């Protein structure tokens, strides 16, 4: 029995970057032997075990043979005769198919170290095409390592396109698609994930609502990049600079889905795209079972980003209506998050990447004024029921109106 450090831990060590987890492969053992040594098996029929002391994962070396659809359609074999190379050849990328023994020597049968040096993401073998989830995984690795200069080997991108056109991606469960996507949204360059899916013909399968934006024009004076799909990826790039929160990044990316529903005869204008975008966001979230926090912020950003952009043009009653519709008094943090997504939208345009967005501070200052209204003072005046609600609303609009001219003059100058 021999154990080897494998996969991402070896790769990250060679890249001199921290690695979150350590995974080990065990050669020359059996499940019974592992249990006798005190390891705890994870799952009933999969050869992964937890170390009795450090709880790290140790997997028996195994082979896989495709026998069905999706990423679960495999016949897995594991026994004491499976070699380390047998195990490594089933992995996705050469940079993930290296191992390290107790002596510190790197076992690298597929030239992963050379690909690391050349900054290439390359598939290990033709078996890559047997697992459609690898299209999303490679796109995620591209997003993770883009800032280091990594690119996908042309032959690997071609293989990813073949998988996408084969129909295999449609057999992935919604949960797996979303798990990879949420992880990608937390990488250093998440827009590269979606760009890669587009380039490998996978975006239309996994995110047809987003894919539909490519080729849809916008007014050149406001959007020199013109294409709405390109704009959406630029917005995600700006959101990445502003926040590490994947919920904000997702909302920023999805804010313009309604523009794909604009009749072509109206191009490049997109009347009421804010409302039109709500249905595709809900459809996507339903289909992929996306958590409510992502759905809610995406919906609010989609519906109200134009209101935020035009904040200096809004009167006090309209600003109060915006606060009410966004539930800003009860959920001020979500409102702040929405404003960050709106700022990303404003900056996600060619030539506008560094502009100020004073609308955010302006609206937050007015929200603070609205929240300063003392309800108990109104209650003490004897108002009850519906009348109480009306008086509270009047007081909040008055509080907004009271400082609106001063705040507008303070912030609007930055907007001009």
């Amino acid at each position: 029995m021999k154990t080897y450090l494998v996969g991402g831990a070896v790769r990250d060590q060679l890249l001199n970057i921290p690695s979150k987890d350590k995974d080990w492969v065990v050669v020359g053992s059996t499940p019974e032997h592992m249990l006798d040594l005190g390891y705890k098996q994870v799952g009933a029929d999969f050869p992964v075990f937890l170390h009795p002391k450090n709880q790290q994962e140790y997997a028996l070396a195994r082979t896989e043979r495709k026998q069905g659809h999706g990423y679960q359609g495999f016949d897995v074999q594991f026994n004491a005769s499976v070699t380390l190379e047998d195990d490594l050849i089933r992995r996705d990328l050469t940079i993930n198919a290296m191992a390290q023994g107790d002596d510190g020597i790197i076992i690298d049968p597929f030239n992963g170290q050379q690909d690391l040096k050349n900054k290439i993401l390359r598939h290990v073998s033709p078996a890559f095409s047997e697992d459609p989830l690898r299209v999303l995984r490679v796109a995620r690795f591209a997003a993770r390592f883009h800032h280091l200069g990594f690119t996908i080997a042309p032959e690997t991108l071609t293989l990813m396109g073949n998988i996408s056109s084969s129909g295999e991606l449609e057999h992935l469960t919604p949960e797996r698609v979303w798990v990879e996507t949420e992880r990608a949204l937390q990488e250093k360059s998440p827009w590269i994930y979606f760009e890669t899916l587009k380039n490998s013909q996978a975006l239309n399968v996994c995110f047809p609502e987003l894919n539909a934006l490519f080729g849809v024009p916008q007014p050149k004076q406001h959007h020199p990049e013109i294409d709405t799909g390109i704009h959406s990826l630029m917005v995600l790039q700006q959101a990445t600079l502003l926040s590490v929160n994947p919920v904000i990044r997702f909302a920023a990316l999805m804010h313009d889905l309604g523009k794909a529903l604009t009749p072509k005869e109206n191009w490049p204008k997109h009347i009421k795209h804010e409302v039109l975008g709500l249905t595709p966001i809900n459809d996507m979230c339903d289909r992929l079972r996306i958590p409510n926090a992502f759905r809610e912020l995406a919906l609010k950003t989609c519906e109200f980003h134009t209101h935020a952009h035009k904040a200096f043009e809004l009167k006090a009653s309209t600003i109060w209506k915006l606060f009410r519709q966004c539930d800003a008094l009860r959920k001020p943090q979500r409102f702040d998050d929405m404003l960050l997504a709106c700022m990303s939208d404003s900056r996600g345009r060619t030539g506008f990447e560094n502009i100020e967005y004073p609308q955010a501070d302006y609206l937050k200052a007015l929200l603070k004024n609205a929240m300063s209204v003392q309800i108990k003072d109104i209650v003490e005046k004897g108002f009850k029921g519906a009348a109480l609600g009306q008086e509270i609303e009047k007081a909040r609009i008055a509080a907004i109106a009271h400082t609106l001219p001063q705040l507008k003059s303070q912030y609007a100058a930055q907007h001009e």
Side-chain angles (χ1 to χ4, degrees):
M1 170 179 164
K2 290 186 177 180
T3 61
Y4 299 88
L5 184 66
V6 293
V10 179
R11 177 201 67 223
D12 291 346
Q13 177 182 302
L14 293 171
L15 286 172
N16 293 314
I17 61 177
S19 186
K20 295 180 181 178
D21 303 306
K22 287 189 174 182
D23 294 318
W24 305 82
V25 69
V26 181
V27 177
S29 187
T30 64
E32 295 75 20
H33 185 213
M34 298 294 286
L35 293 172
D36 288 343
L37 293 174
Y39 287 79
K40 181 179 179 182
Q41 187 165 356
V42 181
D45 53 5
F46 203 67
V48 178
F49 300 81
L50 296 180
H51 191 283
K53 292 183 179 178
N54 60 30
Q55 301 301 300
Q56 291 179 3
E57 288 192 356
Y58 285 69
L60 293 184
R62 64 186 189 267
T63 62
E64 296 175 345
R65 185 170 58 87
K66 184 77 167 177
Q67 63 174 16
H69 292 294
Y71 71 99
Q72 291 182 320
F74 289 91
D75 175 39
V76 180
Q77 296 293 325
F78 49 94
N79 55 62
S81 67
V82 178
T83 68
L84 178 61
E85 188 166 326
D86 289 336
D87 182 272
L88 293 177
I89 198 171
R90 68 177 177 79
R91 296 175 183 266
D92 50 11
L93 298 172
T94 60
I95 65 169
N96 296 331
M98 296 179 286
Q100 185 177 35
D102 293 337
D103 55 7
I105 295 175
I106 303 292
I107 296 94
D108 180 17
F110 308 107
N111 300 313
Q113 292 178 91
Q114 188 63 41
D115 282 340
L116 271 185
K117 182 180 178 181
N118 295 332
K119 300 182 178 180
I120 296 291
L121 303 176
R122 190 193 315 275
H123 64 283
V124 174
S125 75
F128 176 94
S129 61
E130 294 181 351
D131 184 356
L133 186 64
R134 288 178 169 175
V135 174
L136 277 68
R137 278 179 53 82
V138 173
R140 178 165 59 80
F141 280 119
R144 176 179 297 182
F145 294 126
H146 172 74
H147 72 290
L148 297 177
F150 277 77
T151 58
I152 300 172
E155 63 270 26
T156 301
L157 192 62
T158 297
L159 202 54
M160 292 164 66
N162 293 341
I163 295 171
S164 300
S165 60
S166 72
E168 275 291 306
L169 285 176
E170 295 166 14
H171 293 282
L172 292 177
T173 64
E175 291 84 357
R176 288 307 305 171
V177 173
W178 177 247
V179 165
E180 290 298 322
T181 301
E182 184 175 2
R183 292 178 71 182
L185 285 166
Q186 298 173 68
E187 301 290 4
K188 283 187 175 290
S189 308
W191 65 94
I192 296 296
Y193 172 78
F194 296 97
E195 182 180 287
T196 302
L197 293 184
K198 176 66 178 173
N199 292 339
S200 59
Q201 290 81 55
L203 192 65
N204 191 44
V205 180
C206 299
F207 298 94
E209 299 87 353
L210 183 61
N211 188 71
L213 293 177
F214 289 87
V216 175
Q218 303 167 105
K220 187 175 182 179
Q221 66 269 32
H222 301 301
H223 289 276
E225 71 284 349
I226 299 176
D227 189 286
T228 309
I230 293 173
H231 164 62
S232 297
L233 296 184
M234 293 174 70
V235 173
L236 174 56
Q237 185 172 1
Q238 290 298 318
T240 304
L241 296 173
L242 292 170
S243 175
V244 298
N245 187 342
V247 179
I248 294 173
R249 294 177 176 187
F250 178 79
L253 177 65
M254 302 301 174
H255 79 284
D256 262 351
L257 291 189
K259 289 182 178 178
L261 302 176
T262 300
K264 287 187 178 181
E265 57 267 25
N266 293 342
W267 286 358
K269 293 183 178 180
H270 296 279
I271 300 168
K272 296 185 178 179
H273 73 277
E274 303 90 348
V275 176
L276 290 173
L278 302 180
T279 295
I281 288 175
N282 276 318
D283 289 346
M284 180 191 298
C285 291
D286 288 342
R287 186 180 68 256
L288 297 179
R289 299 169 192 173
I290 296 174
N292 281 337
F294 288 86
R295 181 199 299 259
E296 291 170 2
L297 187 62
L299 289 172
K300 294 302 181 188
T301 303
C302 176
E303 187 170 3
F304 298 111
H305 64 273
T306 303
H307 285 73
H309 296 338
K310 296 182 176 180
F312 297 117
E313 302 172 26
L314 305 180
K315 58 185 181 181
S317 59
T318 307
I319 290 172
W320 164 247
K321 185 179 179 182
L322 171 65
F323 293 159
R324 193 179 69 240
Q325 290 176 315
C326 291
D327 203 8
L329 275 75
R330 289 198 314 126
K331 299 181 179 180
Q333 183 59 57
R334 190 180 71 182
F335 188 70
D336 285 358
D337 291 347
M338 186 193 83
L339 292 176
L340 270 183
C342 293
M343 185 184 299
S344 306
D345 176 31
S346 180
R347 292 179 176 176
R349 300 175 291 158
T350 301
F352 292 84
E353 293 85 355
N354 298 310
I355 64 169
E356 296 293 329
Y357 194 74
Q359 295 95 320
D361 287 338
Y362 174 67
L363 287 171
K364 283 191 274 190
L366 291 173
L367 176 61
K368 185 177 180 181
N369 290 341
M371 295 175 74
S372 70
V373 170
Q374 298 297 311
I375 297 176
K376 62 181 179 59
D377 293 343
I378 301 174
V379 172
E380 289 173 359
K381 293 179 180 179
F383 291 101
K384 296 179 181 179
L388 175 60
Q390 292 169 2
E391 285 301 312
I392 293 172
E393 182 169 307
K394 283 169 57 178
R396 284 176 170 156
I397 293 173
I400 293 170
H402 178 67
T403 56
L404 190 146
Q406 176 188 345
L407 289 172
K408 184 182 290 188
S409 63
Q410 177 182 339
Y411 289 107
Q414 302 174 41
H415 181 59
E416 294 174 355

